[in-house]
């Protein structure tokens, strides 16, 4: 098990600090301690373990100010790109992905699910999509496919 430095109250906080320091190193920051490792994550861990990285828990006001700064930056980027309609207001929260319904019909959704299951080999029933085939023909097809696979293995 990992031994936490004294200033950390939980493994989760330690991981967050190390990962943020690793991101800084990846983006060009120089490691603050000598490390025998080349990977940024391990160098970051050495920096944090060596006490060279200062950190603190942000207050709610600081978090709100940081969020507002990100919203303002987003607004500035949208205005600069000219993509924003002037009548359309940008909300005071960051945009999130909107889930779109890819398949609208229940029948189409079922067909799509069956196709995916067939592609992934998750079900044998999904193999018989063609309603014109009988079960005997499906069994014949399966037997032919198996014998063809056996012939290839012998070669």
């Amino acid at each position: 098990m990992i031994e936490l430095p004294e200033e950390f109250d939980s493994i989760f906080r330690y991981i967050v600090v190390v990962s943020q320091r690793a991101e800084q190193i990846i983006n060009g920051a120089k490691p603050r301690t000598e490390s025998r490792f080349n990977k940024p994550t391990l160098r970051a861990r050495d920096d944090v373990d060596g006490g060279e990285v200062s950190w603190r828990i942000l207050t709610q006001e600081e978090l709100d100010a940081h969020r507002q700064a990100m919203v303002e930056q987003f607004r500035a980027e949208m205005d600069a790109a000219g993509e924003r309609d002037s009548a359309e207001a940008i909300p005071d929260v960051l945009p999130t992905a909107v889930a779109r319904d890819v398949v609208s019909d229940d029948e189409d959704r079922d067909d799509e699910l069956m196709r995916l299951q067939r592609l992934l080999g998750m079900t044998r029933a999904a193999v018989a999509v063609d309603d014109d085939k009988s079960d005997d023909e499906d069994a014949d097809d399966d037997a032919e496919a198996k014998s063809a696979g056996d012939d290839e293995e012998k070669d």
Side-chain angles (χ1 to χ4, degrees):
M1 177 152 181
I2 194 167
E3 190 171 318
L4 289 176
E6 295 174 7
E7 64 267 13
F8 289 95
D9 58 340
S10 72
I11 186 73
F12 303 107
R13 193 172 317 279
Y14 176 74
I15 290 170
V16 167
V17 172
V18 170
S19 66
Q20 289 178 352
R21 178 62 185 150
E23 187 175 346
Q24 291 173 347
I25 292 173
I26 289 169
N27 290 330
K30 297 195 185 281
R32 296 179 182 165
T33 59
E34 289 295 321
S35 177
R36 61 187 176 104
F37 302 107
N38 290 328
K39 291 184 176 183
T41 51
L42 297 175
R43 286 184 172 202
R45 188 189 66 190
D46 287 345
D47 284 355
V48 172
D49 289 347
E52 297 296 322
V53 176
S54 60
W55 64 275
R56 64 185 175 83
I57 299 173
L58 298 178
T59 64
Q60 186 61 45
E61 292 80 24
E62 291 171 323
L63 285 172
D64 292 342
H66 182 67
R67 277 194 199 107
Q68 188 60 35
M70 289 182 2
V71 168
E72 293 302 322
Q73 180 184 0
F74 176 71
R75 285 183 177 153
E77 289 172 2
M78 293 297 289
D79 287 339
E83 296 176 5
R84 187 169 74 107
D85 197 7
S86 60
E88 181 185 338
I90 296 178
D92 286 336
V93 295
L94 294 176
T96 57
V98 177
R100 287 184 271 162
D101 192 17
V102 176
V103 181
S104 59
D105 248 343
D106 284 341
E107 208 170 278
D108 291 340
R109 185 176 298 133
D110 290 342
D111 290 344
E112 183 73 11
L113 178 62
M114 286 177 55
R115 195 178 108 243
L116 289 172
Q117 288 175 338
R118 186 176 64 248
L119 287 172
L120 296 172
M122 293 174 62
T123 178
R124 296 201 69 197
V127 173
V129 173
D130 194 8
D131 291 335
D132 296 336
K133 279 186 162 182
S134 69
D135 290 339
D136 294 334
E137 290 175 353
D138 289 339
D140 292 340
D141 290 345
D142 290 342
E144 289 175 11
K146 186 175 189 312
S147 67
D150 291 342
D151 292 340
E152 289 177 5
E153 288 178 9
K154 291 177 184 175
D155 293 337

